[in-house]
């Protein structure tokens, strides 16, 4: 696909996302209309999805409007933004499909209506079709990158663009704000993502720009302050970006896949691992995190605490499964009962994604000492 579209590939993605999300938005309305006696919780679920799909649709339309007049000037930064939008779109559809399957199984109104069942099954298949299209294209692109050197105009191997100084952005949630209820409430998710995470992005961008100015001017009088801001906000941004993706409305239960075997090897059992992790999270002093990491040095999983975001952390490790235990992550629903929040959190862990990250992390292996 890259050989066909080349540097115009972001436009192809945007067109796909725009059509895709327009359909899914319309499907939320169709399901409600063909099932007039649909239970209130499912009506609310579909209504919550409608603005999510609309927002993604509008974002794709805005990027298309910006890029179409001069497609040859699509920057690496724009391409990166489109990749992020595509990633969010895929996660939205996966969650949407899973919830529609749940609706098919548990809604009495749907089960009693053959027409509703037929239409919803068709809607599920349409979203799955788009997911297959994206999967096939990205798989082909990855294979093409392995088999051929992608050259830039200077004859050098092209690299993925880095985030420009002060150019970090807030990633969209891969699910609706209320998708993790009853375990994590909608109001908390909205504030946590839209306000708190955005503040870390803003703080990181500010610190990077100030440090860039310091390099230009040679004035490093405030270096200690801005390095602290860089560490605090950068760690907050990166950990939260991971945090959203390690949760899922279809999550919970014991670990599965390769990470389950690694947990058994390193902690003796899943229950022992769960107890240690829960206690570590509960006993973080002040705000901070409990984090499962892969250690390339010891070649095993470890459980760490991080006060704030960066204090008491180890370097040379890769976060695999973080839990945010800052009060803003749970206070509206759980007040000061951190242990209750931790108990609920176990019901939303996205183990397939944790496995994906673990498998990638475990490929990195240093000489053990």
């Amino acid at each position: 696909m890259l050989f066909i579209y080349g540097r115009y590939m972001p436009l192809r993605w945007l067109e796909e996302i725009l059509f895709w999300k327009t359909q899914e938005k319309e499907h939320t309305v169709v399901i409600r209309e063909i099932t007039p006696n649909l239970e209130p919780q499912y009506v609310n679920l579909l209504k919550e999805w409608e603005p999510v799909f609309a927002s993604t649709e509008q974002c794709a339309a805005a990027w298309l409007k910006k890029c179409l007049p001069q497609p040859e000037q699509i920057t690496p930064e724009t391409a990166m933004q489109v990749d992020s939008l595509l990633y969010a779109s895929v996660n939205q559809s996966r969650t949407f499909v899973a919830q529609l399957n749940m609706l098919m199984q548990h809604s009495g109104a749907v089960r009693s209506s053959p027409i509703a069942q037929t239409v919803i099954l068709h809607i599920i298949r349409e979203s799955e079709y788009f997911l297959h299209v994206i999967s096939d294209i990205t798989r082909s692109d990855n294979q093409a990158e392995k088999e051929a050197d992608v050259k830039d105009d200077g004859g050098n191997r092209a690299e993925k663009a880095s985030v420009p100084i002060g150019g970090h952005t807030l990633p969209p949630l891969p699910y609706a704000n209320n998708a993790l209820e009853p375990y994590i409430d909608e109001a908390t998710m909205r504030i946590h993502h839209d306000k708190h995470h955005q503040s870390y992005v803003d703080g990181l961008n500010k610190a990077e720009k100030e440090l860039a100015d310091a390099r230009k001017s040679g004035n490093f009088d405030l270096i200690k302050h801005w390095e602290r801001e860089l560490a605090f906000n950068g760690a907050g941004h990166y950990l939260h970006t991971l945090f959203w993706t390690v949760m899922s409305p279809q999550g919970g239960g014991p670990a599965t896949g390769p990470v389950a075997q690694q947990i058994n090897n390193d902690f003796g059992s899943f229950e022992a691992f769960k107890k240690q992790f829960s206690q570590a999270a509960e006993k973080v002093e002040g705000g901070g995190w409990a984090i499962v990491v892969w250690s390339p040095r010891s070649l095993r999983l470890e459980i760490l605490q991080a006060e704030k975001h960066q204090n008491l952390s180890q370097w040379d490790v890769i976060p695999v499964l973080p839990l945010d235990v800052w009060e803003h992550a749970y206070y509206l629903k759980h007040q000061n009962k951190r242990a209750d929040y931790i108990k609920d959190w176990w019901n939303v862990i996205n183990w397939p994604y944790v496995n994906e990250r673990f498998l990638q992390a475990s490929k990195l292996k240093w000489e053990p000492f």
Side-chain angles (χ1 to χ4, degrees), residues 99-365:
Q99 290 180 344
L100 291 184
N101 281 315
M102 176 193 68
L103 188 151
M104 292 271 288
Q105 295 174 11
H106 299 291
S107 168
V110 171
R111 290 201 308 270
S112 64
S113 172
I115 294 177
Q117 293 179 42
T118 300
V119 172
I120 295 173
L121 184 60
H122 175 72
I123 288 172
I124 290 172
R125 287 173 176 168
E126 285 204 349
S127 286
E128 287 179 336
Y129 169 76
F130 282 115
L131 288 171
H132 287 313
V133 168
I134 299 302
S135 177
D136 288 344
I137 293 175
T138 53
R139 188 183 300 114
S140 299
D141 290 348
N142 290 337
Q143 185 62 31
E145 288 180 351
K146 291 179 181 178
E147 294 176 353
D149 285 341
V150 181
K151 304 292 184 178
D152 62 18
D153 292 338
N156 301 314
R157 182 169 179 79
E159 301 291 344
K160 289 186 177 181
S162 61
V163 178
I165 297 297
H168 296 277
T169 58
L170 179 70
L173 285 175
Y175 36 73
N177 282 300
N178 68 347
L180 303 183
E181 290 190 340
Y183 305 108
I184 299 179
D185 62 288
E186 177 183 357
T188 294
M189 285 298 298
R190 197 180 301 277
I191 296 170
H192 193 174
H193 175 266
D194 297 355
K195 302 300 182 182
H196 287 283
H197 190 171
Q198 183 66 62
S199 72
Y200 297 129
V201 173
D202 295 341
L204 174 59
N205 287 334
K206 174 71 172 176
E208 288 187 345
K209 291 176 181 177
E210 291 291 341
L211 288 168
D213 289 342
R215 291 191 294 273
K216 291 177 183 177
S217 66
N219 182 354
F220 292 100
D221 290 346
L222 297 178
I223 185 67
K224 189 173 183 178
H225 169 74
W226 290 117
E227 290 289 1
R228 284 176 174 173
E229 288 291 295
L230 184 73
F232 176 76
N233 290 293
H237 172 46
Y238 298 138
L239 280 175
H240 277 92
T241 299
L242 174 58
F243 183 58
W244 310 130
T245 55
V246 300
M247 298 186 290
S248 167
Q250 290 75 50
T256 58
V259 76
Q261 183 59 53
Q262 192 70 44
I263 285 173
N264 287 333
N265 292 344
D266 297 341
F267 298 94
S269 69
F270 177 75
E271 285 305 314
F273 159 79
K274 182 176 178 180
K275 288 179 181 177
Q276 181 180 337
F277 188 93
S278 296
Q279 287 295 305
E282 185 176 349
K283 291 176 172 57
V284 171
E285 294 185 8
W289 301 72
I291 310 176
V292 180
V293 301
W294 169 255
S295 173
R297 196 70 70 180
S298 62
L299 303 184
R300 61 175 180 263
L301 294 170
E302 295 179 352
I303 296 171
L304 302 179
Q305 295 175 318
E307 293 178 9
K308 296 183 179 178
H309 306 294
Q310 73 281 24
N311 296 353
L312 300 182
S313 296
Q314 292 180 358
W315 297 109
D316 209 24
V317 298
I318 302 170
V320 174
L321 176 63
L323 169 59
D324 189 345
V325 289
W326 282 78
E327 287 187 344
H328 63 240
Y330 61 88
Y331 202 83
L332 289 183
K333 177 177 175 63
H334 297 89
Q335 285 82 53
N336 64 331
K337 299 175 183 177
R338 181 185 286 181
D340 290 348
Y341 160 68
I342 295 166
K343 182 179 178 181
D344 277 348
W345 179 78
W346 287 101
N347 292 285
V348 298
I349 298 175
N350 185 358
W351 289 112
Y353 179 79
V354 175
N355 269 293
E356 179 182 338
R357 188 170 177 89
F358 164 70
L359 289 173
Q360 291 295 319
S362 62
K363 294 177 184 178
L364 182 61
K365 299 179 180 179

Side-chain angles (χ1 to χ4, degrees), residues 27-47 100 102-104 106-113 116 120:
H27 287 159
T28 66
V29 178
V30 169
I31 295 172
R32 301 201 303 270
E33 290 182 347
I34 65 169
T35 321
N37 60 334
L38 188 64
E39 294 84 351
Q41 65 268 32
Y42 300 124
V43 172
N44 292 335
L45 176 67
L46 293 168
K47 286 182 177 180
L100 291 184
M102 176 193 68
L103 188 151
M104 292 271 288
H106 299 291
S107 168
V110 171
R111 290 201 308 270
S112 64
S113 172
I120 295 173

